[in-house]
Amino acid sequence: MTHLPRIIAGAGVLALGVSLAACSADGGGAGDGDGFSIVFLASSSQNGYNQAVYEGVQNKAKELEKELGISITTKIQDGQFDANTQLSQLQNAGTTGQASGVIVVPQDGPGLAAAFPLGNDIPVVSVLNPIGPDIDKMEPQTEGVVSTVASPPSAGAERQAETVVDYCKDIDPCKIGLLAGLLNSPLDVARIAAWKDVLGAHDNIEIVGTVEGAYDRDKSLTAVSNLLQANKDINGILSNADQQTMGAQIALENAGIDPSSIFLTGGGGTTEAVKAVREGKWTNDYLNYPVSMGEAALEQLINKLRGEKVEAVVDADTLVDLPSMVTKEDLDAAPDFTGEWNG
Amino acid sequence: MTEAANTTVTRTRARRKFSAKELVIEYAVLLLLAVVLVALAILSPSFFTFGNIVNILNQNAPLVIIAAAGTFVIISGNFDLSTGAIYSVAGVVAAWLAVTTGNVALALGAAPVIGIVLGAFNGTVITRLRVHSFLATLASSMIFTTIAVLITGGSLITVTTPGFTALGRNRVGGVFIAVLVMIVVVAILWFVLSRTLFGRRVYAVGGNAEAAELSGIHVDRTRILVFVISGLAAGTAAAIGVSRIASGQPLAGAGLELSAIAAVILGGTSIYGGIGAVWRSVAGVFLIALIGNGFDLLNLNPQLKDMVTGFIILAAVGLAAAGRGKR
């Protein structure tokens, strides 16, 4: 009997958890009637970018339901930023027979290719990164992947670096710090290589340091603060992610450097980044359109499921009528654009 | 306090005469810290500057606060794997309150309060359900993280409320307010652990919980209190962190708990409980921090940073373990 209170307490905790889960369950089943059941495999469902992609998937599903008179149900699964978890989820989606098709934001594109061939022949659309060994090849590399909605990371990185070259043309030496995402990620390694290729061709540009921002404001704030200790006369910071650039901006302000007085760029097209470029604090930003990418991905998937023409590659940089590297002048010409996500 | 508990405390706090070798082992973390400091001072002219030192202190203020409180938890023979998640929840609630009420004091003041509540939840679950703290806080970290995600919807809450960034970014006499808060918190925690009856009970519970119970110490109450302290510290750190970056992020604290535990252990606090000190954890945080700072200042290949950090942790922990083996 002495265990009774503990058992009751344990049961209470369990009941609370189950109740909370039940309250939030959408109750949707998969593949009912003549409709399509789409599984969206997020690299992390707790991440703003992935949520924006899923928002696009849901938006397009509603639109196509009305337009085509069919039922489209969508379900999101959380990859927890873990390649193995996502691999299992893709394999499960391909064998249970409950999914008509899959849209995935790969955590590890090369690694995810191991899930193919899937148990059932269902189409897969990849968003942001391709699935397969070549992270710069957007054409489907794996049988089963029908479309990729993305743009090559190296090409985007080169475009970013070219804007640095342009900024530095009358500055010698032009001291640039590289603020990279994850130094153990193939995607970011490719970006850094592309940056260095472009910048290295110009003698007036001096790379004063390469630091890791890990897609995190606080980590980037720390890294750039350290970088500035040894390089107070820095001319610019080249970052591949807006979250990192926000951290860099705080570090510059802490060091008494006006962010608008140096070259500052990011990547992602977040609402905050768009605002910073509009205000002239950042020189430019490499835009991303996750909601539009989600919409495009679902459109291609439904096309495939309905036997219609599918675009094997949807260039993510062309989904919105703005240049991919956007400046204040570009944004002034598009006053209604605020960015598609915040993260 | 009775004889058995006193024995434990006496064992941990007694002043012993050390040989030179024992001294090196006892203060391995300080020795390594000194070696890294001297090396960086020689290698980088930017290292030993007021700006850089303040910079390092400021960057690590939240982690120091969490690690200092985490020392209580580990000395008491427990683990708190939820501090990162508490940091996240407290941070997003502070950001949300700032945006919705515009009251900066209320928003930032709420973060430590949330830390206390979640810490008390941990302590209560551990003592009432008799669940090991490792598992209980692993589970609670998942619950807390989900709460943070639900509050923000997985995105971030940007705060533009005037005055919100003062705690994280403003300075007094050239020193960041966050650094001053860190110094005050560490001083209080050092005093509580090393100079009060409660501190002695923490050592006693970690050294031998059964003996402590038999000595009349309320073991459960002590355990709950160390988790409350840990939660309070995580909440306080969150207030600094969210103020610094002016945004509430649901995964802002991810990994912070492991960094804090690593720093505590690196400092020489025993993973088995009963032995340790707040200053050791502070030294542990700064030893790891200096490596990161040095890599950035010297523009070394950042891909090697984790390897160097790993070797230094192994060296410090190995020395500390060798020291304990001799006693």
Side-chain angles (χ1 to χ4, degrees):
Chain A
M1 287 301 282
T2 53
H3 295 296
L4 191 59
R6 255 186 277 157
I7 293 168
I8 292 170
V13 170
L14 185 64
L16 178 66
V18 172
S19 306
L20 288 171
C23 286
S24 61
D26 58 10
D32 45 356
D34 294 330
F36 299 120
S37 173
I38 308 302
V39 174
F40 173 64
L41 301 182
S43 55
S44 166
S45 64
Q46 300 171 3
N47 166 268
Y49 190 93
N50 279 264
Q51 287 185 342
V53 175
Y54 188 51
E55 184 188 332
V57 170
Q58 290 175 304
N59 290 347
K60 198 69 182 179
K62 281 180 194 157
E63 186 187 318
L64 291 178
E65 276 185 326
K66 281 184 191 165
E67 190 181 317
L68 304 173
I70 57 173
S71 157
I72 302 172
T73 59
T74 62
K75 187 165 71 174
I76 183 169
Q77 290 187 9
D78 183 6
Q80 300 173 344
F81 283 132
D82 181 77
N84 287 325
T85 300
Q86 195 173 54
L87 181 67
S88 302
Q89 288 172 338
L90 181 54
Q91 287 170 330
N92 292 343
T95 52
T96 57
Q98 295 181 338
S100 317
V102 173
I103 296 171
V104 57
V105 178
Q107 172 67 16
D108 171 13
L112 209 53
F116 295 87
L118 299 174
N120 296 322
D121 185 21
I122 60 169
V124 174
V125 175
S126 185
V127 177
L128 185 63
N129 310 314
I131 296 173
D134 188 346
I135 56 175
D136 271 318
K137 186 181 176 189
M138 298 298 109
E139 290 75 21
Q141 305 168 46
T142 309
E143 198 173 336
V145 178
V146 297
S147 181
T148 304
V149 183
S151 55
S154 297
E158 282 168 12
R159 250 173 282 157
Q160 278 193 301
E162 278 155 12
T163 66
V164 177
V165 171
D166 188 44
Y167 180 87
C168 288
K169 64 178 183 289
D170 298 324
I171 306 170
D172 189 9
C174 191
K175 296 184 176 180
I176 300 295
L178 303 183
L179 179 56
L182 296 165
L183 296 167
N184 58 1
S185 150
L187 206 65
D188 288 328
V189 169
R191 285 193 179 108
I192 296 168
W195 285 346
K196 288 186 173 173
D197 277 352
V198 173
L199 300 182
H202 299 269
D203 293 339
N204 65 318
I205 297 178
E206 182 188 341
I207 297 172
V208 293
T210 303
V211 293
E212 188 175 62
Y215 298 90
D216 181 87
R217 276 188 203 213
D218 208 24
K219 288 189 176 77
S220 304
L221 165 57
T222 296
V224 174
S225 297
N226 290 342
L227 189 69
L228 292 176
Q229 292 303 319
N231 303 283
K232 289 189 171 60
D233 54 348
I234 202 163
N235 297 102
I237 292 171
L238 174 52
S239 155
N240 65 299
D242 293 341
Q243 306 94 315
Q244 298 172 172
T245 313
M246 277 293 167
Q249 182 186 318
I250 298 168
L252 289 164
E253 287 165 350
N254 282 348
I257 300 170
D258 178 2
S260 63
S261 69
I262 69 163
F263 177 90
L264 199 54
T265 188
T270 61
T271 51
E272 283 188 277
V274 170
K275 188 164 174 278
V277 175
R278 273 193 200 285
E279 291 172 352
K281 286 183 180 170
W282 297 10
T283 314
N284 58 35
D285 191 52
Y286 181 28
L287 294 184
N288 230 230
Y289 314 104
V291 176
S292 302
M293 288 161 78
E295 289 173 356
L298 187 80
E299 185 177 15
Q300 297 308 317
L301 193 60
I302 297 299
N303 282 351
K304 177 69 182 176
L305 290 168
R306 298 182 74 234
E308 294 176 359
K309 190 183 171 207
V310 177
E311 290 178 48
V313 181
V314 177
D315 185 351
D317 287 347
T318 61
L319 290 171
V320 173
D321 191 19
L322 274 169
S324 55
M325 290 300 302
V326 73
T327 62
K328 184 178 186 313
E329 289 70 34
D330 298 321
L331 290 173
D332 285 345
D336 295 334
F337 182 75
T338 56
E340 292 193 348
W341 69 295
N342 207 11
Chain B
M1 216 159 127
T2 60
E3 197 179 335
N6 271 327
T7 307
T8 309
V9 174
T10 307
R11 183 169 63 81
T12 55
R13 298 192 55 222
R15 292 181 185 280
R16 300 190 297 120
K17 286 186 178 175
F18 293 103
S19 67
K21 190 178 173 185
E22 284 178 322
L23 210 61
V24 168
I25 290 168
E26 181 72 13
Y27 296 104
V29 66
L30 289 184
L31 186 71
L32 284 167
L33 196 60
V35 168
V36 175
L37 272 169
V38 171
L40 286 175
I42 293 168
L43 293 170
S44 170
S46 308
F47 177 71
F48 243 126
T49 59
F50 177 75
N52 191 46
I53 300 300
V54 167
N55 183 34
I56 295 168
L57 292 171
N58 181 47
Q59 289 166 2
N60 293 284
L63 185 56
V64 166
I65 290 170
I66 293 173
T71 316
F72 284 66
V73 177
I74 291 181
I75 289 175
S76 74
N78 291 283
F79 282 97
D80 190 350
L81 294 177
S82 70
T83 49
I86 293 175
Y87 181 98
S88 298
V89 175
V92 297
V93 169
W96 180 79
L97 280 173
V99 170
T100 51
T101 69
N103 187 330
V104 172
L106 172 72
L108 295 178
V113 174
I114 286 163
I116 290 172
V117 171
L118 299 184
F121 173 82
N122 279 336
T124 306
V125 167
I126 289 159
T127 53
R128 296 283 176 242
L129 295 182
R130 299 285 168 211
V131 185
H132 193 283
S133 58
F134 190 95
L135 292 173
T137 56
L138 180 65
S140 66
S141 72
M142 294 175 184
I143 295 169
F144 299 161
T145 300
T146 306
I147 291 170
V149 171
L150 291 175
I151 290 169
T152 62
S155 191
L156 58 77
I157 301 172
T158 303
V159 186
T160 53
T161 312
F164 188 78
T165 58
L167 176 64
R169 296 189 200 174
N170 285 11
R171 303 181 192 220
V172 176
V175 179
F176 285 97
I177 294 173
V179 175
L180 301 176
V181 172
M182 175 190 78
I183 291 168
V184 170
V185 171
V186 167
I188 292 171
L189 291 175
W190 168 81
F191 180 81
V192 170
L193 187 61
S194 62
R195 294 286 183 272
T196 68
L197 185 61
F198 172 71
R200 291 175 190 178
R201 286 175 178 161
V202 173
Y203 280 106
V205 168
N208 187 333
E210 203 175 334
E213 186 84 60
L214 291 170
S215 309
I217 293 174
H218 291 287
V219 172
D220 283 355
R221 191 187 299 166
T222 306
R223 282 186 175 142
I224 291 173
L225 277 173
V226 298
F227 280 99
V228 168
I229 290 169
S230 181
L232 170 61
T236 306
I240 293 171
V242 73
S243 165
R244 181 184 291 167
I245 60 173
S247 71
Q249 301 175 17
L251 299 178
L256 209 50
E257 66 286 349
L258 294 180
S259 299
I261 290 171
V264 174
I265 305 302
L266 172 61
T269 291
S270 170
I271 203 165
Y272 303 108
I275 298 171
V278 168
W279 69 264
R280 289 184 172 280
S281 306
V282 176
V285 170
F286 285 116
L287 181 54
I288 296 172
L290 285 183
I291 298 165
N293 184 258
F295 263 79
D296 291 340
L297 287 185
L298 298 169
N299 193 20
L300 301 176
N301 181 354
Q303 287 171 320
L304 299 176
K305 187 160 67 180
D306 286 348
M307 188 177 75
V308 173
T309 307
F311 276 124
I312 288 182
I313 289 176
L314 278 180
V317 173
L319 278 170
R324 272 194 294 279
K326 283 183 177 297
R327 287 179 216 163

